[in-house]
């Protein structure tokens, strides 16, 4: 485990920052945590609200088992302790987007206990690994949303989000720099998306973080923390930490004290500002929700949860390195996003081959050619105009010598434009590479004749000119000569 050397320089010396994150992740489920209303993002306001979500008197919550299943699978993916007995509590507070007057959450007996997440500060370097502890994951209801800018003198409330299931994933105060926090959130998001328990969409708010920050002199006790609420991008989380740590150092060095409080991040200014002093748990008058029985999980349920977990990013990455001979970098790029790994594996399956030879060829092609093209087109891999099967066909045309690297790039460009299969393009446009020695020898003879002076120079020891002859020969053949054959025949002709 490496300790990052991130330090804040103050007037009195160096300070260390201590970070703990509470990530709210919206559970992927068709219905809400305690009602049958739909959860889809972007619907017309108040079209996905049941009587339970609107908190009409007498309505009773009914637990949605799928939300529990997703949270348990998430806990398992984070190597966490799953609590077979847990319980829901009411957290009482008033807010206009919370018609119940309380949020159903889990304070005393959360569904999931301690776990961990392994992060890499440098994707290419296993030595940069660090483990961040997970304190707990509990399940709770989301609130609705207030809309203040629809009318000059009224606020509106949209209850579509009211009652949607959230997992609150609480880390230990184990992070020591904005970079570590960024790596943690990216890794957590990646795992959630592999598991399929949260779509990880931070822009739509389905994943957001409360950022706890304190500062201390290295080796001293933890300082008092502040909590910056609802930060919704990795970049903002890192900015909030940087700003907040600096603010606390300056405050302490000026003779002040940090007060435990809730703060807000202003993305336009890159600053945090005070919202309210921190409430303690007793302010919420938590008590067990009398409408809900304690939750007890059966062996069968736990087994099904475990059996349904996919191969996770770390395991996949190790397998790509060992079975497919990929570099640490390529393996990490291809496994970071579940969609990329899926596409890559479909491509491999379509080649019908296994092992390092195809692994390396396929990974290099995906990372340089396909990603390059998608970048240019501004498309995600799921929107790729070329299918995995077409990619596989292109790779096999290279492997069997039909296409040289250069020709393969040309064919790929045409595939992107037309959507045609590579074999068809090769056939129709005559882009086949030729290994016909007779034809190549004829062209070489012409090149040597036209460059008699250079031939003489080469023969008198100017070896570097060899590349020039290769280039001329390839050019004369419109890029279609097999480079290996050209090399061999040129050497023979020049010796
Ligand atoms: P609550 O926010 O309900 O009071 P906790 O006390 O469990 O909950 O802490 C919440 C978060 O604050 C956790 O992610 C934890 O890692 C982090 N945290 C606790 N102490 C500190 C500290 N001194 N500095 C930074 N983060 C901290
Ligand atoms: Mg908190």
């Amino acid at each position: 485990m490496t300790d990052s050397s991130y330090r804040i320089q103050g007037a009195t010396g160096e300070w260390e920052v201590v970070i703990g994150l509470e990530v709210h992740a919206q559970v992927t489920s068709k219905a809400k945590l305690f009602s049958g209303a739909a959860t889809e993002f972007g619907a017309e306001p108040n079209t996905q609200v049941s009587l339970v979500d609107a908190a009409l008197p007498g309505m009773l919550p009914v637990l949605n088992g799928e939300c529990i299943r997703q949270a348990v699978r998430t806990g398992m993916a984070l190597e966490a302790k799953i609590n077979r007995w847990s319980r829901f509590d009411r957290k009482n507070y008033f807010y206009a987007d919370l018609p119940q007057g309380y949020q159903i959450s889990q304070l005393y007996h959360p569904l999931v206990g301690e776990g961990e997440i392994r992060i890499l500060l440098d994707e290419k370097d296993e030595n940069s690994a660090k483990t961040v502890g997970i304190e707990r994951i509990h399940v709770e209801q989301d609130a609705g949303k207030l809309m203040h800018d629809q009318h000059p003198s009224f606020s509106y409330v949209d209850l579509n989000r009211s009652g949607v299931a959230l997992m609150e994933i609480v880390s230990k105060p184990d992070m020591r720099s904005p970079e570590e926090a960024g790596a943690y959130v990216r890794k957590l998001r990646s795992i959630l998306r592999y598991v399929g328990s949260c779509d990880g969409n931070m822009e739509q708010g389905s994943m957001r973080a409360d950022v706890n920050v304190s500062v201390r002199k290295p080796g001293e006790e933890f300082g008092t923390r502040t909590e910056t609420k609802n930060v919704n991008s990795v970049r903002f989380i890192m900015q909030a930490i940087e700003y907040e740590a600096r603010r606390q150092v300056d405050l302490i060095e000026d003779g002040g004290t940090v007060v435990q409080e809730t703060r807000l991040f202003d993305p336009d200014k890159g600053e945090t500002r005070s919202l309210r002093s921190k409430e303690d748990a007793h302010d919420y008058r938590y008590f067990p929700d009398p409408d809900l029985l304690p939750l007890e999980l059966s062996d069968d349920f736990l087994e099904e949860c475990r059996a349904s977990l996919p191969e996770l990013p770390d395991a996949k990455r190790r397998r790509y390195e060992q079975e497919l001979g990929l570099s640490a970098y390529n393996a990490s790029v291809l496994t970071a996003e579940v969609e990329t790994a899926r596409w890559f594996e479909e491509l491999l399956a379509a080649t019908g081959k296994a092992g390092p030879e195809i692994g390396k060829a396929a990974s290099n092609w995906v990372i340089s050619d396909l990603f390059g093209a998608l970048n240019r087109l501004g498309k995600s891999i799921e929107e790729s105009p070329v299918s995995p099967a077409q990619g596989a066909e292109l790779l096999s045309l290279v492997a069997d010598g039909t296409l040289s690297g250069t020709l393969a790039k040309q064919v790929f460009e045409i595939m992107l434009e037309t959507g045609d299969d590579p074999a068809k393009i090769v056939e129709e446009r005559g882009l086949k590479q030729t290994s016909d020695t007779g034809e190549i020898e004829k062209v070489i003879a012409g090149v040597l004749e036209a460059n008699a002076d250079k031939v003489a120079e080469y023969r008198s020891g100017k070896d570097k000119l060899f590349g020039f002859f290769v280039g001329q020969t390839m050019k004369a053949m419109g890029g279609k000569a097999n480079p290996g054959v050209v090399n061999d025949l040129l050497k023979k002709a020049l010796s």
Side-chain angles (χ1 to χ4, degrees), residues 1 35 62 122 132 147 153 156 178 183 221 240 243 265 285 324 416 420 422 426 434 469:
M1 175 154 145
S35 85
V62 177
D122 173 358
V132 176
M147 299 184 293
S153 45
Y156 291 90
E221 300 276 283
Y243 177 87
F265 180 69
R285 304 292 187 276
L324 299 174
L416 289 168
D420 284 347
V426 168
T434 176
F469 297 119

Side-chain angles (χ1 to χ4, degrees), residues 314-336:
D314 281 356
K316 206 180 265 304
R317 179 184 166 134
R318 273 195 302 279
R319 182 168 65 79
Y320 284 7
E321 288 182 40
Q322 286 161 9
E323 280 178 18
L324 299 174
L326 302 201
S327 66
Y329 177 76
N330 279 13
S332 91
V333 169
L334 292 176
T335 55

Side-chain angles (χ1 to χ4, degrees), residues 106-136:
Q106 299 187 305
L107 177 69
Y108 302 105
H109 298 280
L111 182 63
V112 178
E114 291 185 328
E116 60 184 43
I117 291 188
R118 191 169 157 279
I119 59 173
L120 288 180
L121 291 175
D122 173 358
E123 286 300 337
K124 293 185 281 303
D125 183 9
E126 282 291 327
N127 292 321
S128 72
K130 166 165 179 160
T131 301
V132 176
I134 300 290
E135 182 70 45
R136 57 192 263 147

Side-chain angles (χ1 to χ4, degrees), residues 222-339:
F222 283 165
T224 303
R225 74 178 196 271
T226 62
E227 178 178 2
T228 302
K229 281 278 184 197
N230 280 330
V231 188
N232 68 351
S233 84
V234 171
R235 190 162 60 89
F236 293 161
I237 290 169
M238 293 171 66
Q239 279 178 7
I241 293 167
E242 212 158 312
Y243 177 87
E244 190 51 23
R246 181 81 248 172
R247 187 190 69 84
Q248 293 181 12
V249 166
D250 291 347
L251 180 64
I252 298 167
E253 290 193 333
D254 283 348
T257 38
V258 176
V259 286
Q260 194 176 334
E261 63 181 357
T262 301
R263 298 179 70 85
L264 271 188
F265 180 69
D266 179 340
D268 297 327
K269 298 203 178 107
E271 295 173 4
T272 66
R273 61 170 189 273
S274 184
L275 183 67
R276 55 174 187 257
S277 67
K278 172 85 186 161
E279 309 85 352
D280 281 319
H282 63 252
D283 295 324
Y284 291 114
R285 304 292 187 276
Y286 277 97
F287 64 87
D289 192 306
D291 290 339
L292 290 158
L293 288 169
L295 183 58
E296 286 184 69
L297 307 180
S298 70
D299 287 336
D300 285 353
F301 178 79
L302 292 175
E303 262 166 46
E304 189 282 322
C305 287
R306 192 167 294 285
S308 72
L309 282 181
E311 182 180 38
L312 294 167
D314 281 356
K316 206 180 265 304
R317 179 184 166 134
R318 273 195 302 279
R319 182 168 65 79
Y320 284 7
E321 288 182 40
Q322 286 161 9
E323 280 178 18
L324 299 174
L326 302 201
S327 66
Y329 177 76
N330 279 13
S332 91
V333 169
L334 292 176
T335 55
E337 291 286 345
V338 64
E339 287 82 8

